[in-house]
Amino acid sequence: NENDTFFQAQQNLTDHCISLLSSLENKKILEIGCGNGIQAIYISSNYKPLTITGIDLNNSNIEIANNDKNQTNLDNVTFFVDDAQNLKNIPSDSIDTILNIESAFHYPDKQAFLKEVHRVLKPGGEFLIADILSTRKNREGFMKIWGRQMIYNFWNKKKYDEGFRKSELTVKYEEDITPQVRKGWSLYHKWLPKIKRKGFFESIAFRLFYYINVKLNVFFLKNRQQYMIFVGQKLSDV
């Protein structure tokens, strides 16, 4: 919406993604790529899962997530470091619903990630992946150099379709929300000035960093990328 803050826009995305799934109430949820944990805590507070586990490869993110969790009364939220491509701490056939929002474009081996999604889901369990895809057949020129420097590993739609088939995951629904996400970034002039930091120069540097990232995101989502949501399940053996 026109007057949404940056954080409200993020919450809107979370709510929209969850609206595409079956009810999370009393389910065991795994968020792969949980970042600083704010989304998992929001889901626990608003959607009544039995448990929600957040994993991230970045130890600093998990430290922030655990510190924030300790300030709440939520005892069904757990955070720890793990690798999306090798979920060594998650047992097979143990998860009802997997969420992976804005994280998979960092994974060098997305096929291994999809294989792990299939392994840890219960038969009949659901997954949702929201990812930024390349609209090109192959990375080229600046995108190839920029992607390598920023540790980005974009798949295109064809590779995702092949990846789902190889991993034996069934996609029930997919949606391109590129225009909505691009609009959210384009409203930066309304929410960026409201983000403050302690010092004057820190605030200036922070806003400059966000300004550059906003411009890059809008450009790529208009010319070279698309924002896709995939919803599916691991088929039951029965």
Side-chain angles (χ1 to χ4, degrees):
N1 298 317
E2 294 291 334
N3 295 319
D4 282 344
T5 65
F6 181 65
F7 301 104
Q8 181 62 52
Q10 289 180 309
Q11 184 176 308
N12 292 345
L13 175 63
T14 301
D15 289 336
H16 178 67
C17 287
I18 292 175
S19 74
L20 303 175
L21 293 161
S22 303
S23 172
L24 301 187
E25 190 168 351
N26 294 321
K27 299 281 185 66
K28 290 184 176 181
I29 313 301
L30 173 64
E31 184 184 6
I32 301 175
C34 67
N36 62 12
I38 188 172
Q39 186 164 249
I41 291 173
Y42 172 77
I43 292 170
S44 177
S45 300
N46 291 274
Y47 289 96
K48 301 179 181 178
L50 180 65
T51 62
I52 181 163
T53 300
I55 70 103
D56 199 277
L57 193 60
N58 188 312
N59 187 63
S60 296
N61 280 341
I62 296 301
E63 287 181 6
I64 294 170
N66 279 317
N67 286 335
D68 286 350
K69 189 198 88 166
N70 291 337
Q71 297 177 34
T72 73
N73 294 320
L74 302 172
D75 58 4
N76 66 336
V77 183
T78 305
F79 296 110
F80 54 81
V81 174
D82 210 342
D83 186 345
Q85 301 159 129
N86 180 23
L87 297 168
K88 59 182 179 296
N89 295 305
I90 308 295
S92 300
D93 303 323
S94 64
I95 302 297
D96 293 301
T97 307
I98 286 176
L99 294 171
N100 179 253
I101 300 176
E102 292 187 13
S103 180
F105 54 79
H106 290 301
Y107 307 161
D109 190 348
K110 267 186 276 292
Q111 194 62 60
F113 158 63
L114 294 177
K115 183 178 179 181
E116 285 293 88
V117 169
H118 185 276
R119 180 184 68 79
V120 304
L121 275 177
K122 295 178 181 178
E126 290 185 303
F127 68 87
L128 182 143
I129 298 171
D131 195 16
I132 299 172
L133 279 63
S134 171
T135 55
R136 306 297 179 95
K137 290 182 179 180
N138 298 294
R139 288 195 298 177
E140 53 194 40
F142 173 70
M143 276 292 286
K144 187 174 184 179
I145 299 170
W146 178 74
R148 188 185 304 123
Q149 293 299 318
M150 298 297 288
I151 320 179
Y152 289 155
N153 297 279
F154 299 108
W155 269 7
N156 56 32
K157 179 67 166 51
K158 182 179 179 181
K159 288 202 72 173
Y160 252 112
D161 291 340
E162 293 172 352
F164 286 128
R165 283 196 295 271
K166 288 179 181 177
S167 61
E168 299 182 345
L169 291 167
T170 299
V171 176
K172 301 185 297 181
Y173 175 80
E174 57 187 47
E175 182 179 4
D176 185 336
I177 61 168
T178 306
Q180 296 94 317
V181 174
R182 193 168 62 229
K183 179 183 177 183
W185 282 115
S186 298
L187 295 173
Y188 72 93
H189 58 281
K190 293 188 176 182
W191 50 259
L192 187 55
K194 298 177 183 178
I195 299 179
K196 306 290 185 182
R197 285 295 180 266
K198 291 180 181 180
F200 173 77
F201 291 107
E202 187 180 355
S203 289
I204 294 297
F206 187 81
R207 291 178 192 176
L208 180 62
F209 170 80
Y210 261 89
Y211 176 79
I212 293 170
N213 274 275
V214 164
K215 288 297 186 180
L216 285 171
N217 280 320
V218 171
F219 171 79
F220 287 133
L221 286 170
K222 187 179 292 185
N223 297 282
R224 298 170 180 267
Q225 296 174 346
Q226 63 183 145
Y227 197 119
M228 290 292 299
I229 298 175
F230 300 101
V231 181
Q233 67 179 152
K234 173 181 176 177
L235 293 179
S236 174
D237 296 331
V238 179

